Amino acid sequence: MKRLLILGPLILFVILAGFLAVGLHKDPSEVPSPLVGKPAPQFSLPRLDDAQQSFSPKEMLGQVWLFNVWASWCAACREEHPVLLELAKTNAVPLYGMDYKDTQEAAQKWLQNGGGNPYIHSVMDETGRVGIDFGVYGVPETYLIDKKGIIRYKQTGAITTKLLSDTILPLVKRLQAE
């Protein structure tokens, strides 16, 4: 009995240390999404450039495209923005955006002051309801959606040039060829 009282806490400590060691080697930016492999949530939201017009993912069926969630108040979005501007110049994949929990005025001003608008269209999700449907943890987040409207990849956090060239664009090419 005395032996069990000594070994019990030691065994528990070793198990907890093992979980901690495994957790420390994981990338905290890799947040698994239950939506990867499932249809992208459907919505119709007003466009940022013209609130009288709307955009819906249904318009993109038959195309591989990126959906980037951003906001004018987002610091990481500022880091990501030059990468998206360069991506837009390549025409490698259609890029659409969603301004998340923001105002139209602040978003438009941010795009003007940030060096330009990389998006074909950006929509406004002022209340965050569509963001909830997509499982947005924070901004920026980017979803790669295939020709059938299935989410094939999710990036939580800013897209870097390396991530774009090593992961996203090769997947885009593969999906476009399917």
Side-chain angles (χ1 to χ4, degrees):
M1 180 73 170
K2 191 175 188 181
R3 190 175 196 185
L4 184 60
L5 288 174
I6 293 173
L7 286 178
L10 182 61
I11 291 170
L12 182 61
F13 173 77
V14 169
I15 291 171
L16 289 175
F19 281 121
L20 178 63
V22 169
L24 288 175
H25 292 289
K26 293 194 177 247
D27 183 352
S29 68
E30 291 180 14
V31 179
S33 173
L35 291 180
V36 172
K38 295 188 177 143
Q42 291 301 307
F43 64 85
S44 180
L45 286 174
R47 288 183 9 196
L48 181 62
D49 63 335
D50 182 356
Q52 301 304 313
Q53 296 186 43
S54 62
F55 169 78
S56 170
K58 289 179 186 176
E59 298 173 35
M60 298 307 296
L61 287 176
Q63 295 184 59
V64 175
W65 59 292
L66 284 174
F67 185 56
N68 178 255
V69 182
W70 63 280
S72 66
W73 45 263
C74 165
C77 297
R78 294 182 199 285
E79 295 173 29
E80 176 183 68
H81 197 71
V83 176
L84 297 180
L85 287 167
E86 287 303 311
L87 173 63
K89 289 177 188 174
T90 69
N91 292 318
V93 61
L95 177 61
Y96 288 79
M98 182 172 74
D99 180 37
Y100 181 68
K101 291 187 175 182
D102 209 349
T103 65
Q104 182 178 13
E105 182 180 328
Q108 288 175 330
K109 184 177 179 182
W110 186 84
L111 286 174
Q112 289 169 356
N113 295 338
N117 184 351
Y119 307 106
I120 293 171
H121 294 300
S122 200
V123 294
M124 298 179 296
D125 184 21
E126 292 179 276
T127 65
R129 301 243 352 116
V130 173
I132 290 170
D133 292 344
F134 271 86
V136 171
Y137 293 100
V139 290
E141 288 191 10
T142 304
Y143 301 83
L144 176 58
I145 302 172
D146 72 12
K147 295 175 185 179
K148 295 178 183 173
I150 306 296
I151 296 173
R152 301 297 294 270
Y153 177 82
K154 176 185 176 183
Q155 169 61 31
T156 300
I159 291 177
T160 63
T161 303
K162 181 171 177 36
L163 178 68
L164 195 60
S165 64
D166 293 354
T167 304
I168 297 173
L169 289 177
L171 184 54
V172 165
K173 286 180 184 174
R174 194 183 92 221
L175 293 172
Q176 287 172 335
E178 288 181 357

